[in-house]
């Protein structure tokens, strides 16, 4: 059994906010990421490569809040966070607050594989990128006209990020490969109009991203501060590991806890047996799931 | 009577722990000044006395707050601020230096009531990072701010920034040079590396945790350890426990150590000592030798201070009014 799930952010998402044409573009973007990740699993590749690839594709797609097309800070710049975790040996790598790295998920992977650290932030993370021969890009590479307009409306006092699809949230992927290894990856531009230096749950191992072989892999999206305080991703895995909850029960419990705190968002998870659970307590979540038993779906609401 | 039942019920419904016994909750405080490979033979009596004095001063600063009815949050912040100001410890002034010879500081604070949290990472000009973490928690909608953005927030909050020189001490400069000569970041240090931290419970039964650090000697610019990451190096929740960790941060991050202890207490109903033992010895020591230690407190105020390194600078004022200050394993 092998399986993969991806998400492209959760939010209020009133149906009227998304035209049929735009919805089609989102579905197309999700399908491209899902199928590219799945293809890696299908040819015997690792879950780590699968989640890395799926997230890189979503980072490159300007529709989603990560990499090119990320949400902008109050200064109009993109500041990106990403994390990846290998469930095999609980290895992890993460970067936060980077401004010139085209694919933050690739840099997070490099932190995991080539440094003795787990988390690098800001200019220091970019210095590491240069040491590892990443080509840096100017910050305007990430900025799209749509995100600028969104920022301007937000700064005029409109709460657009609560209306527009994929304006908050993140992108992410979780996978189980044929060898039984679990992996998770998450990447984001954070919240529109955020303060420079603000870091959400995505790059925090245990909050927005977590994977442990034999238990589960989780990637979260939503109001990051709540996911940090709830230690969301790890909560789900400890509930499965220590208390014998099913993955679905664990995810529902966590969403209940977040809801009680006033937080909203969603999670995608895969269990050690390939069970896929994609849940959210917001209006919608861009998501996709595919497994070797023939399931394939793309959904928004 | 029915009013009491209603009050207890309302308390329970609000998710707070009902304090059934009349009167205030017993208070307790535990603190640490870092775990590490400390060699007793190389520790002079004078140095040991200085550590003990530093720990005692911090313990008293925090305990005085609890004793006069202050919050656990104020107590842990006061302890950590005192240790940040003491050049012997790896936090604030006297923090270890990064590869460029500067201090880059991380800190977090968490209020078990809520729970609420605030943290900062990679700040270079904030005299007391724990106070900035507290401001992030109290005055911003965020939990974690890093680098220049965190310092911008500090200025907006009226925090006076200091020169990087403020943090640098002769000893840390020598230590950095030694490590850089030996190309080994793990070179045994005469000074504790680790971090400083505190956990406490106050008269209302609220738990709190705080941790602050300069990280690793000769670390890569921008490296952030477990200290400012909620669930890794710092965690507090009135429903389970409060934890502050110290050690090789990367292992604490990957193991989500602080939250792991509290999850074992909360969901597996393990006594605190067993939960800490499972995490420090079964999980962390399995990952690597000398990974570190932690201090933990459950909601009744029981204290556990455990480590898999030769020593951990630690002190406590327990539920029974007993005060301890210790460094090595066999210290009482």
């Amino acid at each position: 059994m092998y399986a993969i799930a991806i998400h492209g952010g959760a939010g209020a998402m009133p149906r009227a906010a998304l035209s049929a044409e735009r919805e089609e573009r989102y579905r197309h973007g999700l399908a491209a990421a899902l199928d590219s990740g799945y293809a890696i699993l299908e040819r015997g590749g690792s879950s780590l490569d699968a989640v890395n690839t799926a997230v890189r594709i979503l980072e490159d797609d300007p529709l989603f809040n990560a990499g090119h097309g990320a949400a902008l800070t109050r200064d109009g710049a993109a500041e990106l966070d990403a994390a990846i975790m290998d469930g095999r040996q609980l290895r992890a790598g993460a970067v936060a607050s980077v401004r010139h790295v085209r694919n933050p998920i690739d840099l997070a992977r490099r932190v995991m594989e080539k440094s003795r650290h787990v988390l690098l932030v800001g200019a220091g993370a970019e210095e590491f990128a240069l040491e590892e021969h990443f080509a840096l890009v100017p910050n305007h590479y990430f900025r799209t006209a749509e995100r600028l307009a969104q920022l301007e409306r937000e700064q005029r006092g409109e709460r657009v990020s609560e209306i527009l699809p994929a304006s908050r949230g993140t992108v992410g992927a979780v996978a189980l490969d044929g060898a039984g290894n679990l992996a998770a990856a998450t990447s984001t531009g954070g919240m529109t109009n955020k303060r420079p230096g603000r870091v959400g749950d995505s790059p925090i191992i245990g909050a927005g991203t977590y994977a442990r072989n034999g238990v589960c892999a989780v990637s979260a999206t939503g109001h990051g501060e709540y996911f940090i305080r709830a230690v969301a991703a790890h909560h789900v895995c400890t509930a499965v590991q220590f208390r014998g909850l099913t993955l679905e029960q664990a995810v529902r419990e966590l969403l209940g806890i977040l809801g009680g705190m006033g937080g909203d968002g969603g999670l995608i998870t895969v269990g050690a047996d390939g069970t896929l659970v994609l849940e959210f307590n917001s209006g919608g979540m861009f998501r996709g799931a595919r497994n070797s038993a023939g399931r394939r779906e793309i959904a928004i609401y | 009577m029915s009013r009491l039942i209603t009050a207890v019920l309302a308390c329970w419904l609000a998710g707070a722990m009902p304090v059934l016994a009349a009167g205030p909750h017993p208070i307790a405080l535990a603190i640490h000044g870092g775990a590490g490979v400390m060699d007793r033979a190389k520790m002079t009596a004078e140095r040991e006395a200085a550590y003990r004095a530093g720990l005692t001063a911090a313990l008293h600063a925090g305990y005085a707050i609890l004793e006069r009815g202050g919050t656990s949050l104020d107590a842990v912040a006061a302890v950590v601020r005192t240790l940040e100001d003491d050049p012997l410890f790896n936090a604030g002034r006297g923090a270890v230096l990064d590869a460029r010879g500067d201090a880059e500081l991380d800190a977090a604070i968490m209020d078990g009531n809520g729970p609420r949290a605030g943290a900062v990472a990679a700040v270079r000009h904030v005299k007391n990072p724990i106070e900035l973490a507290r401001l992030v928690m109290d005055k911003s909608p965020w939990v974690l701010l890093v680098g220049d953005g965190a310092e911008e927030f500090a200025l907006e909050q009226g925090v006076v920034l200091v020169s990087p020189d403020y943090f640098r001490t002769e000893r840390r400069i020598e230590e950095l040079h030694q490590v850089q000569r030996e190309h080994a970041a793990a070179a045994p240090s005469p000074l504790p590396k680790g971090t400083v931290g505190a956990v406490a419970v106050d008269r209302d039964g609220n738990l709190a945790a705080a941790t602050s650090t300069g990280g690793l000697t000769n670390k890569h610019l921008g490296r952030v350890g477990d200290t400012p990451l909620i669930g890794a190096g710092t965690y507090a929740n009135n429903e389970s426990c409060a934890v502050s960790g110290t050690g090789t941060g990367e292992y604490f991050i990957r193991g989500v150590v602080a939250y792991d202890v509290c999850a074992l207490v909360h969901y597996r109903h393990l006594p605190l000592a067993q939960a800490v033992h499972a995490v420090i010895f079964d999980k962390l020591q399995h990952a690597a030798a000398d990974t570190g230690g932690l201090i933990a407190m459950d909601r009744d105020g029981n204290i556990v201070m455990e480590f898999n390194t030769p020593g951990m600078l630690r002190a406590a004022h327990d539920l029974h009014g007993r005060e301890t200050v210790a460094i090595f394993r066999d210290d009482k």
Side-chain angles (χ1 to χ4, degrees):
Chain A
M1 170 64 116
Y2 45 92
I4 183 168
I6 64 165
H7 68 79
M13 292 194 213
R15 278 178 194 265
L18 202 58
S19 67
E21 182 264 340
R22 261 183 88 78
E23 180 175 332
E24 196 44 45
R25 284 169 59 203
Y26 277 109
R27 287 179 177 274
H28 189 263
L30 289 168
L34 181 69
D35 293 337
S36 301
Y38 185 78
I40 289 172
L41 298 176
E42 201 168 30
R43 61 170 186 263
S46 70
S47 51
L48 201 59
D49 285 340
V51 296
N52 190 345
T53 298
V55 167
R56 190 190 309 114
I57 288 168
L58 293 168
E59 283 178 343
D60 290 342
D61 187 332
L63 286 175
F64 298 96
N65 178 14
H68 183 48
L72 303 174
T73 66
R74 70 180 189 190
D75 298 348
E79 269 196 8
L80 310 164
D81 307 332
I84 191 163
M85 188 157 186
D86 178 356
R88 246 181 324 181
Q89 298 150 309
L90 299 181
R91 292 190 309 156
V95 294
S97 243
V98 296
R99 290 168 165 246
H100 307 96
V101 178
R102 187 187 185 104
N103 289 108
I105 198 65
D106 289 343
L107 185 59
R109 173 108 184 238
R110 202 63 70 91
V111 169
M112 176 172 85
E113 292 179 341
K114 296 288 166 78
S115 86
R116 58 199 172 90
H117 302 312
V118 171
L119 173 58
L120 293 177
V121 306
E126 299 193 341
E127 190 131 312
F128 174 74
L130 289 171
E131 289 161 18
E132 290 293 318
H133 309 294
F134 278 64
L136 298 189
V137 296
N139 195 261
H140 66 67
Y141 161 77
F142 302 103
R143 206 155 48 210
T144 62
E146 203 169 314
R147 291 296 183 198
L148 268 175
Q150 205 172 303
L151 176 65
E152 280 160 16
R153 288 177 65 185
E154 189 87 26
Q155 290 181 336
R156 280 199 304 266
E158 295 179 54
R159 307 295 297 268
V160 285
S161 60
E162 285 173 15
I163 304 162
L164 294 180
S167 59
R168 250 175 37 188
T170 60
V171 310
V174 293
L176 170 76
D177 62 28
N181 291 315
L182 291 166
T186 315
S187 181
T188 188
M191 296 169 83
T192 299
N193 202 31
K194 72 179 177 184
R195 160 184 291 284
R198 177 265 186 183
V199 176
D201 60 317
S202 299
I204 300 183
I205 299 304
T209 307
Y210 195 74
R212 184 186 188 103
N213 271 14
V215 186
C216 68
V218 180
S219 172
T221 174
H223 197 144
E225 278 67 19
Y226 293 95
F227 283 73
I228 294 177
R229 290 189 283 252
V231 200
H234 193 55
H235 179 100
V236 169
C237 290
T238 55
V240 169
Q241 189 186 1
F242 296 152
R243 295 154 61 206
L245 266 64
T246 65
L247 196 51
E248 188 164 2
Q249 288 169 335
V251 167
R252 282 181 190 279
E253 177 183 87
L254 187 265
L255 287 173
I257 290 170
L258 286 171
M261 293 165 80
D264 65 328
L267 304 104
I268 55 168
T269 63
V270 59
D273 60 355
T275 307
L276 293 165
V277 177
L278 299 79
E279 279 287 349
F280 47 97
N281 65 6
S282 49
M285 177 168 78
F286 293 102
R287 62 198 186 277
R290 191 168 174 188
N291 68 19
S292 55
R295 173 180 173 188
R296 182 181 181 281
E297 66 188 44
I298 304 283
I300 299 175
Y301 302 105
Chain B
M1 188 61 196
S2 71
R3 195 175 293 168
L4 176 70
I5 291 169
T6 314
V8 169
L9 199 66
C11 223
W12 179 75
L13 286 172
M17 184 181 63
V19 181
L20 290 170
H25 192 284
I27 56 177
L29 173 66
I31 76 173
H32 70 80
V37 184
M38 292 174 245
D39 188 346
R40 175 164 251 164
K42 286 185 186 160
M43 174 91 75
T44 63
E46 188 194 349
R47 178 70 62 79
E48 185 172 337
Y51 283 133
R52 287 176 176 274
L55 288 168
T56 304
L59 185 72
H60 289 173
Y63 197 76
I65 290 170
L66 294 175
E67 217 168 15
R68 62 171 185 259
T71 65
S72 52
L73 207 55
D74 285 339
V76 295
V79 168
V80 169
R81 191 191 315 116
T82 305
L83 293 169
E84 282 177 343
D85 291 343
D86 186 330
L88 281 177
F89 299 93
N90 178 15
R93 185 161 140 73
V96 302
L97 304 176
D98 69 12
R100 295 189 174 180
D102 281 330
E104 265 203 357
L105 309 163
D106 307 332
I109 191 163
M110 190 156 182
D111 179 356
N113 185 18
R116 303 182 307 139
V120 294
V123 297
R124 300 160 83 91
H125 307 92
V126 178
K127 183 168 181 268
N128 289 107
I130 198 65
E131 291 189 342
L132 186 57
R134 176 92 187 253
L135 286 170
V136 170
M137 178 173 80
D138 290 341
K139 306 282 174 160
S140 90
W142 320 116
V143 171
L144 173 59
L145 292 179
V146 306
D148 294 344
E151 298 193 345
E152 186 79 41
F153 174 73
L155 289 170
E156 289 169 18
Q157 293 294 321
V159 174
V160 177
L161 298 189
V162 297
S163 152
D165 290 338
Y166 165 78
F167 301 102
R168 275 195 291 260
T169 60
E170 278 306 314
R171 273 188 192 148
R172 294 301 189 193
I173 293 169
E174 274 169 37
E175 190 176 283
L176 175 66
H177 290 163
Q178 187 198 335
V179 167
Q180 288 180 335
R181 273 197 306 274
E182 293 168 8
H183 295 287
S189 162
L191 292 173
K193 296 182 183 178
T195 61
V196 308
V199 294
V201 65
D202 61 28
R203 290 212 166 127
D204 292 327
N206 286 319
L207 288 166
T211 318
S212 180
T213 189
L216 294 171
T217 299
N218 200 31
K219 68 181 176 183
H220 196 287
L221 183 72
R223 177 267 187 184
V224 175
D226 60 314
T227 300
L229 303 186
I230 299 305
T234 307
Y235 188 74
N237 190 328
N238 280 0
E239 292 183 359
S240 52
C241 66
V243 175
S244 172
T246 172
T248 309
E250 280 67 16
Y251 291 104
F252 280 66
I253 297 176
R254 290 157 57 185
V256 199
V257 162
Y259 175 78
D260 223 30
V261 169
C262 294
L264 288 170
V265 169
H266 191 182
Y267 295 114
R268 258 199 178 173
H269 311 294
L270 289 189
L272 187 66
Q274 269 184 42
V276 170
H277 194 276
V279 172
I280 291 292
F281 293 101
D282 303 344
K283 186 170 178 174
L284 276 177
Q285 202 166 30
H286 179 72
D290 293 327
T291 30
L294 58 82
I295 56 172
M297 183 178 289
D298 67 18
R299 56 196 219 174
D300 297 326
N302 296 306
I303 293 167
V304 176
M305 302 189 277
E306 197 49 271
F307 45 100
N308 59 29
T309 45
M312 179 167 79
L313 302 172
R314 61 202 188 276
H317 195 121
D318 72 14
L319 289 170
H320 314 292
R322 199 172 42 198
E323 191 175 299
T324 51
V325 179
I327 299 177
F328 298 98
R329 180 160 297 285
D330 51 2
D331 285 346
K332 288 284 176 264

